[in-house]
Amino acid sequence: KAGVTQTPRYLIKTRGQQVTLSCSPISGHRSVSWYQQTPGQGLQFLFEYFSETQRNKGNFPGRFSGRQFSNSRSEMNVSTLELGDSALYLCASSFEDSIGEQYFGPGTRLTVT
Amino acid sequence: DQQVKQNSPSLSVQEGRISILNCDYTNSMFDYFLWYKKYPAEGPTFLISISSIKDKNEDGRFTVFLNKSAKHLSLHIVPSQPGDSAVYFCAVQTGANNLFFGTGTRLTVIP
């Protein structure tokens, strides 16, 4: 069974631009969560989607948004990029009501210059 | 406001010895705790978990201990192997598929 895939793996953008990251969950998984990893803050929860609906949201500004498609694939968008948005963005998928055990993709490394 | 804290950013242990990774949390209402391991250039992988109704859970070389009164979680790896060298994150689950992670501890197992 294929794992969680994320594209692109690396991205360089300029301040003020916007970016869209993509995540394909493991087949059969309906929940997709997004996390931001930075050296100082560790892994921080962005939001979680299930059946095309945002079910949970972390404490991030409205510049961070996402969506989920009917095939469970998810995209995350960051508008008006800031230098502090440079991070590793991780996507994780799981079954509907799984407790804790999420399966992570390799991440997208975003650098904002 | 860190709800989960890993106060040791790094730990070095000799191969064959015990590795003990620690984690503190702030909210006594948390009821499910997890450890993840992360290698460079890979996403975190689930290692072991424990619910608040238990104080110990064991899986092979890995044991997680939960001290609810102290709001403290620890992961023991015995015996430690060089392949265990990675960053270890503790996490708490606060809602459906919503995890709060600590900042991680980099474990180095010296051959």
Side-chain angles (χ1 to χ4, degrees):
Chain A
K1 187 187 266 190
V4 177
T5 58
Q6 292 186 245
T7 56
R9 292 293 309 277
Y10 302 92
L11 205 49
I12 300 175
K13 289 284 188 178
T14 305
R15 270 182 304 176
Q17 288 186 313
Q18 71 146 9
V19 67
T20 299
L21 313 181
S22 180
C23 172
S24 293
I26 291 173
S27 177
H29 285 189
R30 298 169 66 191
S31 169
V32 174
S33 299
W34 288 89
Y35 295 85
Q36 181 195 65
Q37 185 185 7
T38 56
Q41 296 295 319
L43 279 152
Q44 292 186 287
F45 173 75
L46 280 153
F47 30 65
E48 185 244 355
Y49 285 86
F50 176 77
S51 289
E52 302 177 64
T53 301
Q54 188 181 89
R55 226 172 26 172
N56 290 294
K57 188 177 190 305
N59 189 26
F60 277 80
R63 300 186 296 108
F64 292 82
S65 63
R67 59 177 175 168
Q68 186 181 35
F69 302 94
S70 58
N71 62 359
S72 294
R73 190 177 71 84
S74 177
E75 288 182 348
M76 190 192 95
N77 186 76
V78 188
S79 62
T80 320
L81 283 165
E82 300 176 0
L83 294 178
D85 297 332
S86 295
L88 180 67
Y89 290 89
L90 291 156
C91 161
S93 75
S94 59
F95 290 108
E96 174 179 351
D97 291 319
S98 69
I99 301 294
E101 189 167 346
Q102 297 184 7
Y103 296 83
F104 283 81
T108 295
R109 171 73 62 185
L110 172 65
T111 302
V112 182
T113 61
Chain B
D1 182 23
Q2 280 283 2
Q3 303 201 47
V4 183
K5 293 182 182 178
Q6 293 177 258
N7 292 319
S8 298
S10 63
L11 175 69
S12 291
V13 172
Q14 285 291 134
E15 181 178 4
R17 306 293 291 269
I18 183 171
S19 294
I20 300 176
L21 298 108
N22 295 302
C23 179
D24 296 302
Y25 58 95
T26 57
N27 191 334
S28 58
M29 298 300 290
F30 292 146
D31 59 8
Y32 201 76
F33 306 86
L34 310 96
W35 285 94
Y36 278 77
K37 178 169 72 172
K38 186 179 186 300
Y39 293 116
E42 295 182 13
T45 54
F46 171 75
L47 200 53
I48 192 169
S49 63
I50 188 168
S51 77
S52 60
I53 62 173
K54 294 185 173 183
D55 53 20
K56 177 182 173 181
N57 188 26
E58 195 171 349
D59 183 2
R61 296 186 298 113
F62 302 90
T63 303
V64 56
F65 295 92
L66 177 62
N67 183 333
K68 290 183 284 295
S69 61
K71 288 186 270 187
H72 181 79
L73 188 70
S74 64
L75 174 69
H76 292 208
I77 306 173
V78 184
S80 300
Q81 299 173 353
D84 296 328
S85 296
V87 177
Y88 289 78
F89 292 94
C90 67
V92 298
Q93 179 149 2
T94 62
N97 300 319
N98 180 355
L99 295 177
F100 276 103
F101 284 85
T103 50
T105 297
R106 182 177 300 279
L107 173 66
T108 302
V109 180
I110 304 163

